[in-house]
Amino acid sequence: MVSVRKLFRAAGFLPVLLLAACGGGGGWNGPVQCAPWAREHSDVKLRGRAASWWAQASGHYGRSRHPRVGSVLVFRSTSRLPDGHVSVVSALRGPRSVLVNQANWRPGRIDYGVPVMDISRNNDWSRVRVWWKPSHTMGRTAYPTYGFILPGLSGDGVS
C-alpha cells in the first residue's frame, strides 16, 4: 500500500514536471504552451523553444534588461524549465516588479496579471521570482532570465 506521504510528495512534483515543458519546442504537448501563446498575444513573432527566442531576436527586435509593457520576458533553460519560458509584460508596478500574462506556468492554463519580481543583485532582471497562484505567494525558486524582447524596436544591442 502506498503511503499518504509518498502520494503527496509525488503530487507535489507533478506540476514541476509539467511546467518544465512549457517552451513549445518539445516535451509536453498540452492544449496550450507558452511560446505559441506569447507569439499570438504579443508583437514578437518568433518560433521554437522559448529559451531560443533571446538569440533569435538579435537583429530583429530590440533587447533590454528593463521591462516595457508589451515586451516579452525570456526565461533561460534550466533543469526545471528545459525549454525556457516566455511571458508578456502587461503592466509595470515599479523598478523591480511587473505583471505578466502567460501560458502554461500553471500546467495547461493561461494566467493574466501574474506578479514577477526582479531579485537580481544589479536590478537587471537576470533573476526573478514568479507568483504561484496555488499557494497565493511569490514562488521560492529564483529563475534566471535573459531579459526583455522589445517589439517594434530592431537592433542587436542589449540596453
Side-chain angles (χ1 to χ4, degrees):
M1 183 174 199
V2 176
S3 75
V4 172
R5 185 180 304 175
K6 286 182 182 178
L7 284 174
F8 277 120
R9 203 175 305 151
F13 190 62
L14 182 61
V16 172
L17 290 175
L18 293 174
L19 173 62
C22 77
W28 186 62
N29 292 313
V32 63
Q33 296 178 11
C34 68
W37 190 90
R39 180 176 53 253
E40 186 177 321
H41 293 89
S42 75
D43 290 327
V44 175
K45 304 304 178 196
L46 298 172
R47 297 189 171 276
R49 293 176 54 244
S52 75
W53 282 31
W54 187 254
Q56 288 183 59
S58 180
H60 302 284
Y61 297 97
R63 299 182 299 173
S64 178
R65 300 275 183 224
H66 306 288
R68 295 184 188 165
V69 172
S71 62
V72 174
L73 176 58
V74 182
F75 290 69
R76 292 176 180 266
S77 176
T78 68
S79 61
R80 289 184 106 170
L81 299 171
D83 290 333
H85 182 74
V86 287
S87 55
V88 181
V89 176
S90 61
L92 306 177
R93 297 180 78 190
R96 297 190 84 142
S97 180
V98 297
L99 298 179
V100 300
N101 299 334
Q102 60 189 1
N104 209 33
W105 191 258
R106 291 188 305 144
R109 296 179 185 239
I110 297 168
D111 291 305
Y112 297 93
V114 177
V116 176
M117 181 188 317
D118 172 25
I119 60 166
S120 63
R121 289 183 183 167
N122 298 324
N123 193 24
D124 63 4
W125 289 86
S126 59
R127 293 179 69 76
V128 300
R129 290 193 198 280
V130 180
W131 182 262
W132 185 240
K133 188 171 183 175
S135 67
H136 301 286
T137 61
M138 194 57 77
R140 292 182 292 185
T141 302
Y143 292 96
T145 69
Y146 289 105
F148 300 88
I149 298 174
L150 309 173
L153 300 174
S154 61
D156 288 329
V158 177
S159 61

